[in-house]
Coordinates of all heavy atoms in Angstrom, one line a residue:
G922 N 14.1 -22.7 1.6 CA 15.1 -23.1 2.6 C 16.4 -22.3 2.4 O 16.5 -21.3 1.7
E923 N 17.4 -22.8 3.1 CA 18.7 -22.1 3.2 C 19.4 -21.9 1.9 O 20.2 -21.0 1.8 CB 19.6 -22.8 4.2 CG 20.0 -24.2 3.9 CD 20.9 -24.8 4.9 OE1 21.7 -24.1 5.5 OE2 20.8 -26.1 5.1
F924 N 19.2 -22.8 0.9 CA 19.9 -22.7 -0.3 C 19.1 -22.1 -1.5 O 19.5 -22.1 -2.6 CB 20.5 -24.0 -0.8 CG 21.4 -24.7 0.2 CD1 21.1 -25.9 0.9 CD2 22.6 -24.1 0.5 CE1 22.0 -26.4 1.8 CE2 23.5 -24.6 1.4 CZ 23.2 -25.8 2.1
A925 N 17.9 -21.6 -1.1 CA 16.9 -21.2 -2.1 C 17.5 -20.1 -3.0 O 17.3 -20.1 -4.2 CB 15.6 -20.7 -1.5
V926 N 18.2 -19.1 -2.4 CA 18.8 -18.0 -3.2 C 19.8 -18.5 -4.2 O 20.0 -17.9 -5.2 CB 19.3 -16.9 -2.2 CG1 20.7 -17.4 -1.6 CG2 19.5 -15.6 -3.0
F927 N 20.5 -19.6 -3.9 CA 21.5 -20.1 -4.8 C 20.9 -20.7 -6.0 O 21.4 -20.7 -7.1 CB 22.4 -21.1 -4.1 CG 23.2 -20.5 -2.9 CD1 23.2 -21.1 -1.7 CD2 23.9 -19.3 -3.1 CE1 23.9 -20.5 -0.6 CE2 24.6 -18.7 -2.1 CZ 24.6 -19.3 -0.8
A928 N 19.6 -21.3 -5.8 CA 18.9 -21.8 -7.0 C 18.6 -20.7 -7.9 O 18.7 -20.9 -9.2 CB 17.6 -22.5 -6.5
L929 N 18.1 -19.6 -7.4 CA 17.8 -18.4 -8.3 C 19.1 -17.9 -8.9 O 19.2 -17.5 -10.1 CB 17.2 -17.3 -7.4 CG 16.9 -16.0 -8.2 CD1 15.9 -16.3 -9.4 CD2 16.3 -15.0 -7.3
Q930 N 20.2 -18.0 -8.1 CA 21.5 -17.5 -8.6 C 22.0 -18.3 -9.8 O 22.4 -17.7 -10.8 CB 22.6 -17.5 -7.5 CG 23.9 -16.9 -7.9 CD 24.9 -17.0 -6.8 OE1 24.6 -17.3 -5.7 NE2 26.2 -16.7 -7.2
I931 N 21.8 -19.6 -9.8 CA 22.3 -20.4 -10.9 C 21.4 -20.2 -12.1 O 21.9 -20.3 -13.3 CB 22.4 -21.9 -10.5 CG1 23.2 -22.7 -11.6 CG2 21.1 -22.6 -10.4 CD1 24.7 -22.3 -11.7
A932 N 20.1 -20.0 -11.9 CA 19.2 -19.7 -13.0 C 19.6 -18.3 -13.7 O 19.6 -18.2 -14.9 CB 17.8 -19.6 -12.6
L933 N 20.0 -17.4 -12.9 CA 20.5 -16.1 -13.4 C 21.9 -16.2 -14.1 O 22.1 -15.5 -15.0 CB 20.6 -15.1 -12.3 CG 19.2 -14.6 -11.7 CD1 19.4 -13.7 -10.5 CD2 18.5 -13.7 -12.8
V934 N 22.7 -17.2 -13.6 CA 24.0 -17.4 -14.3 C 23.7 -17.9 -15.7 O 24.3 -17.4 -16.7 CB 24.8 -18.5 -13.6 CG1 25.9 -19.1 -14.5 CG2 25.4 -18.0 -12.3
H935 N 22.7 -18.8 -15.9 CA 22.3 -19.2 -17.2 C 21.9 -18.1 -18.1 O 22.4 -18.0 -19.3 CB 21.1 -20.2 -17.1 CG 20.8 -21.0 -18.3 ND1 19.6 -21.5 -18.6 CD2 21.6 -21.3 -19.4 CE1 19.6 -22.1 -19.7 NE2 20.8 -22.0 -20.3
L936 N 21.1 -17.2 -17.6 CA 20.7 -16.0 -18.4 C 21.8 -15.1 -18.7 O 22.0 -14.6 -19.8 CB 19.6 -15.3 -17.6 CG 19.0 -14.0 -18.3 CD1 18.4 -14.3 -19.6 CD2 18.0 -13.3 -17.3
C937 N 22.6 -14.8 -17.7 CA 23.8 -13.9 -17.8 C 24.8 -14.4 -18.9 O 25.3 -13.6 -19.7 CB 24.5 -13.6 -16.5 SG 23.5 -12.6 -15.3
F938 N 25.0 -15.7 -18.8 CA 26.0 -16.3 -19.7 C 25.5 -16.2 -21.2 O 26.3 -15.8 -22.0 CB 26.1 -17.8 -19.4 CG 26.8 -18.6 -20.4 CD1 28.1 -18.3 -20.8 CD2 26.2 -19.7 -21.0 CE1 28.8 -19.1 -21.8 CE2 26.9 -20.4 -22.0 CZ 28.2 -20.1 -22.4
N939 N 24.2 -16.5 -21.4 CA 23.7 -16.4 -22.8 C 23.6 -14.9 -23.3 O 23.9 -14.7 -24.5 CB 22.3 -17.1 -22.9 CG 22.5 -18.6 -22.9 OD1 23.3 -19.1 -23.6 ND2 21.7 -19.3 -22.2
L940 N 23.3 -14.0 -22.4 CA 23.2 -12.6 -22.8 C 24.7 -12.1 -23.1 O 24.9 -11.4 -24.1 CB 22.6 -11.8 -21.6 CG 21.1 -11.8 -21.5 CD1 20.7 -11.1 -20.2 CD2 20.4 -11.2 -22.7
A941 N 25.6 -12.5 -22.2 CA 27.0 -12.0 -22.4 C 27.6 -12.6 -23.7 O 28.3 -11.9 -24.5 CB 27.9 -12.4 -21.2
A942 N 27.3 -13.9 -24.0 CA 27.8 -14.5 -25.2 C 27.2 -13.8 -26.4 O 27.9 -13.5 -27.4 CB 27.4 -16.0 -25.2
T943 N 25.9 -13.5 -26.4 CA 25.3 -12.8 -27.5 C 25.9 -11.4 -27.8 O 26.2 -11.1 -28.9 CB 23.8 -12.7 -27.3 OG1 23.2 -14.1 -27.1 CG2 23.1 -12.1 -28.4
I944 N 26.0 -10.7 -26.7 CA 26.5 -9.3 -26.8 C 27.9 -9.3 -27.3 O 28.3 -8.5 -28.2 CB 26.3 -8.5 -25.5 CG1 24.9 -8.3 -25.1 CG2 27.1 -7.2 -25.5 CD1 24.6 -7.9 -23.7
F945 N 28.8 -10.1 -26.7 CA 30.2 -10.1 -26.9 C 30.5 -10.7 -28.3 O 31.2 -10.0 -29.1 CB 30.9 -11.0 -25.9 CG 32.4 -10.9 -25.9 CD1 33.0 -9.7 -25.4 CD2 33.2 -11.9 -26.4 CE1 34.4 -9.6 -25.5 CE2 34.6 -11.8 -26.5 CZ 35.2 -10.7 -26.0
I946 N 29.9 -11.8 -28.7 CA 30.2 -12.4 -30.0 C 29.6 -11.6 -31.1 O 30.3 -11.4 -32.1 CB 29.8 -13.9 -30.0 CG1 30.6 -14.7 -29.0 CG2 29.9 -14.5 -31.4 CD1 30.2 -16.2 -28.8
F947 N 28.4 -11.2 -30.9 CA 27.8 -10.4 -32.0 C 28.3 -9.0 -32.1 O 28.3 -8.3 -33.1 CB 26.2 -10.4 -31.8 CG 25.5 -11.3 -32.7 CD1 25.4 -12.6 -32.4 CD2 25.0 -10.9 -34.0 CE1 24.8 -13.5 -33.2 CE2 24.4 -11.7 -34.8 CZ 24.2 -13.1 -34.4
G948 N 28.9 -8.5 -31.0 CA 29.5 -7.2 -31.0 C 30.8 -7.0 -31.6 O 31.3 -5.9 -32.0
I949 N 31.5 -8.2 -31.9 CA 32.8 -8.2 -32.5 C 32.7 -8.9 -33.8 O 32.5 -10.2 -33.8 CB 33.9 -8.8 -31.6 CG1 33.9 -8.1 -30.2 CG2 35.2 -8.9 -32.2 CD1 34.8 -8.7 -29.2
P950 N 32.8 -8.2 -35.0 CA 32.6 -8.9 -36.3 C 33.5 -10.1 -36.5 O 33.0 -11.1 -37.0 CB 33.0 -7.8 -37.2 CG 32.7 -6.5 -36.5 CD 33.0 -6.8 -35.1
F951 N 34.7 -10.1 -36.0 CA 35.6 -11.3 -36.2 C 35.0 -12.5 -35.5 O 34.9 -13.6 -36.1 CB 37.0 -10.9 -35.7 CG 37.9 -12.2 -35.5 CD1 38.4 -12.8 -36.7 CD2 38.1 -12.7 -34.3 CE1 39.2 -13.9 -36.5 CE2 38.9 -13.8 -34.1 CZ 39.5 -14.4 -35.3
L952 N 34.6 -12.3 -34.3 CA 34.0 -13.4 -33.5 C 32.6 -13.8 -34.1 O 32.3 -15.0 -34.2 CB 33.8 -13.0 -32.1 CG 35.1 -12.8 -31.2 CD1 34.7 -12.4 -29.9 CD2 35.9 -14.1 -31.2
R953 N 31.8 -12.9 -34.6 CA 30.5 -13.1 -35.1 C 30.6 -14.0 -36.4 O 29.7 -14.9 -36.6 CB 29.8 -11.8 -35.5 CG 28.4 -12.0 -36.0 CD 27.7 -10.6 -36.0 NE 28.3 -9.7 -37.0 CZ 28.7 -8.5 -36.7 NH1 28.7 -8.0 -35.5 NH2 29.2 -7.7 -37.7
N954 N 31.7 -13.9 -37.1 CA 31.8 -14.7 -38.3 C 32.3 -16.1 -38.1 O 32.2 -16.9 -39.0 CB 32.8 -14.0 -39.3 CG 32.1 -12.7 -39.9 OD1 30.9 -12.7 -40.1 ND2 32.9 -11.7 -40.2
I955 N 32.9 -16.4 -37.0 CA 33.5 -17.7 -36.7 C 32.5 -18.8 -36.8 O 32.7 -19.8 -37.5 CB 34.2 -17.7 -35.4 CG1 35.5 -16.9 -35.4 CG2 34.6 -19.2 -35.0 CD1 36.3 -16.8 -34.1
P956 N 31.3 -18.7 -36.1 CA 30.3 -19.8 -36.3 C 29.8 -20.0 -37.7 O 29.6 -21.1 -38.2 CB 29.1 -19.3 -35.4 CG 29.8 -18.5 -34.4 CD 30.9 -17.7 -35.1
L957 N 29.7 -18.9 -38.5 CA 29.3 -19.0 -39.9 C 30.3 -19.7 -40.7 O 30.0 -20.6 -41.5 CB 29.1 -17.6 -40.5 CG 27.8 -16.8 -40.1 CD1 27.9 -15.4 -40.5 CD2 26.6 -17.5 -40.8
K958 N 31.6 -19.4 -40.5 CA 32.7 -20.1 -41.2 C 32.8 -21.5 -40.8 O 33.1 -22.4 -41.6 CB 34.0 -19.3 -41.0 CG 34.1 -18.0 -41.7 CD 35.4 -17.2 -41.4 CE 35.4 -15.9 -42.1 NZ 36.6 -15.1 -41.8
G959 N 32.7 -21.8 -39.5 CA 32.7 -23.2 -39.0 C 31.6 -24.0 -39.5 O 31.9 -25.2 -40.0
A960 N 30.4 -23.5 -39.6 CA 29.3 -24.3 -40.1 C 29.5 -24.5 -41.6 O 29.1 -25.6 -42.1 CB 28.0 -23.5 -39.9

Side-chain angles (χ1 to χ4, degrees):
E923 59 179 327
F924 300 116
V926 74
F927 298 129
L929 179 60
Q930 186 180 350
I931 195 63
L933 287 169
V934 165
H935 192 206
L936 179 61
C937 291
F938 168 61
N939 283 316
L940 284 172
T943 302
I944 294 166
F945 190 74
I946 293 174
F947 259 83
I949 302 173
F951 167 71
L952 293 175
R953 184 167 66 234
N954 289 329
I955 289 175
L957 283 167
K958 290 178 180 177

